[in-house]
Amino acid sequence: INAIDISILIFLVILGIMVDLMNKAGGSAAFGRWAKKAVKTRSGAQLLTMLLGVLIFIDDYFNCLTVGAVMRPVTESHKISRAKLAYLIDATAAPVCMIAPVSSWAAAVSGYVQSDAVNVVRGDVHRGGLFAHQAAHGVSVRGCQVIGWTVAE
């Protein structure tokens, strides 16, 4: 364990505290009430879940906690199972964080790189190239989101 790992852990604890404060203050419930009125269809609830997942890209755990807390009442009102909600959230959280340059993933990836060049399977890649290389894998997960949205329960 090094300093970057400890700082990421502290960052995640702070994000968890923020989510709990948002829930206790009623922010999640207020957004849920608005979304119940605004979203009229089952597919709209699923799209809003994925949209929120894309907008909250700071951290994948923060994304799961926040979007799950906010969208659970909305998806339940449209008879979407919790398992499908969890899949939609999970298929959005990590891939979006992987391709966002300002996220805990970017901090973790740059923290693991000790030197200016790292030997990846295809050859030496610099720090920026390493982030771009791993971000390309996150883009391929978009297919999972489309499948999760279109497949019936």
Side-chain angles (χ1 to χ4, degrees):
I1 297 178
N2 59 21
I4 192 77
D5 292 338
I6 301 271
S7 63
I8 290 173
L9 183 63
I10 291 169
F11 177 70
L12 294 176
V13 169
I14 291 170
L15 287 178
I17 291 169
M18 287 174 47
V19 170
D20 191 49
L21 285 173
M22 182 178 66
N23 288 336
K24 287 197 175 22
S28 297
F31 184 84
R33 284 191 302 272
W34 170 83
K36 275 186 183 179
K37 293 176 187 172
V39 176
K40 304 292 184 203
T41 65
R42 180 181 166 94
S43 58
Q46 294 175 59
L47 281 173
L48 184 59
T49 300
M50 292 188 333
L51 178 67
L52 277 178
V54 169
L55 293 176
I56 301 173
F57 59 84
I58 296 170
D59 181 71
D60 52 337
Y61 298 125
F62 181 68
N63 184 315
C64 292
L65 290 170
T66 306
V67 176
V70 168
M71 291 305 297
R72 190 179 71 217
V74 178
T75 55
E76 284 177 351
S77 69
H78 290 287
K79 306 284 190 268
I80 297 170
S81 70
R82 287 189 180 182
K84 188 162 187 179
L85 173 64
Y87 179 80
L88 291 172
I89 293 170
D90 191 47
T92 307
V96 169
C97 291
M98 284 176 68
I99 62 175
V102 181
S103 69
S104 61
W105 276 78
V109 169
S110 64
Y112 294 137
V113 178
Q114 298 298 322
S115 65
D116 197 27
V118 176
N119 186 2
V120 179
V121 175
R122 297 181 184 169
D124 286 332
V125 178
H126 296 286
R127 285 179 188 220
L130 180 64
F131 179 73
H133 179 76
Q134 65 93 22
H137 295 289
V139 174
S140 65
V141 180
R142 295 290 168 228
C144 289
Q145 292 173 326
V146 172
I147 290 169
W149 181 58
T150 56
V151 172
E153 295 178 358

